[in-house]
Amino acid sequence: MSKSELPTPLDARASGPLTGTARVPGDKSISHRALILGALSVGETRISGLLEGEDVLNTAKSMRALGANVERTGDFAWRVHGVGVAGFAQPASPLDFGNSGTGCRLVMGAVAGCPIAAVFDGDASLRSRPMRRVLDPLALMGARVTQAGEGGRLPLTLQGAGEPVPITYRTPVASAQIKSAVLLAGLAAPGVTTVIEQEASRDHTELMLKHFGAEITSEPEGRHGRRISMIGEPELHGAAVVVPADPSSAAFPVVAGLIVEGSDIILPDVMTNPLRTGLLTTLREMGASIEETEVRRDAGEPMAQLRVRASKLRGVEVPPERAPSMIDEYLVLAVAASFAEGTTVMRGLHELRVKESDRLEATAAMLRVNGVKVDIAGDDLIVEGRGHVPGGGLVATHMDHRIAMSALVMGLAAGRPVKVDDTGFIATSFPDFIPMMRSLGAEFS
Ligand code: S3P
């Protein structure tokens, strides 16, 4: 299923118990990184379980445009023959990242270390998102923006560094995208590139760089932070990557399983990297029954089978330092909080304002239009849970896949159906969301 030009509205209505096993697609963060690191390696990279959503397919196209050989060899199976560190060729046409901030910002980092110029572009949502956060450190490393939209936004032309300089960089916000861009540029720089983060963000880039042969260390910094150092100019060699199921996509069936009475569902091979499991921690604090079995590890990434059973939830307070480990999950947590008894306070959500949409405002609007009492106080979101949700609202998705999926999950347990104005963007991260949820018993029409 892919996005068409026309909006595709959909209703979700109160459903009977959700039951059965559902395979959630591959992790988006790991899929982008496997393609990019494969392209920067010498030799063959084989990827299984790649997320074949539009965001990742755009990254695959950009790797081809930069000179790597990228082929689909079967369902979710891909093979990459890379060009080696700093080996990208000048692309003949603009690189279009569609809706994906991750694809765009990580490839900016990879291009910044090569002596080539590339034009970066994306859809209206991506064109409105801040890029300076990545371009500022890349400029310190020697890359230059020669043309850009207002405020340094897309479309922009990035001239990579002829002689990239290694830097020590303290990220101004906890962002794996900023960290990854600096590390990917640092691959081409002689000497040690260091990134210091005050709060640890997802570490898939570090784990995968190690898997592909880079020398990289990560040490604690302060109470919640990390200091990551990598030796530049490594010989990266192609590797096998098994992509686990995306916990940020699993979040939707997980919350659906909790709020739809009588549900009992199984989600195999969900990645359980602790820097991604803030939602599971929070839901358990709310009283959720989520069991982990079949725990295993592949290429440094832990994964487990999740069993989720419908549960009575209660409101909780979510501390700000948990935000990086569940940054993409607040929308669907807000849905869970609406069905809980009591108030849920989610603190420190400033980064939600610069995602695919302003997710702080969009989440509040989604709840309000469905009869839930919600407030935004500074960077905090406060949801008054009453154990049930009236529903009946029309939710504006704002070109944001996660708003569409969260609203549809809400409709499965609400008093009246919940309508979303456009489901097309779901294809960016979870192309089979609708059939997969239907296979568990979800009623969409
Ligand atoms: C991502 C990092 C996060 C997250 C995004 C994926 C990644 O963004 O929101 O969906 O793969 O590095 P920030 O690093 O900007 O917080």
Side-chain angles (χ1 to χ4, degrees), residues 69 117 160 175 203 208 229 282 343 349 367 408 429:
N69 189 323
S175 163
D203 59 357
M208 206 181 284
S229 291
T282 304
T343 304
L349 306 190
L367 299 193
L408 291 173
S429 70

Side-chain angles (χ1 to χ4, degrees), residues 6-64:
L6 292 172
T8 41
L10 193 72
D11 278 353
R13 58 189 69 249
S15 304
L18 305 181
T19 53
T21 299
R23 192 159 282 278
V24 169
D27 185 68
K28 185 144 69 74
S29 295
I30 292 187
S31 295
H32 284 298
R33 286 158 173 82
L35 290 168
I36 297 169
L37 287 189
L40 288 172
S41 298
V42 174
E44 181 172 288
T45 289
R46 279 182 181 271
I47 309 167
S48 60
L50 190 88
L51 165 63
E52 293 177 340
E54 289 176 5
D55 280 8
V56 173
L57 297 178
N58 283 325
T59 293
K61 274 190 213 149
S62 77
M63 291 302 103
R64 277 191 199 116

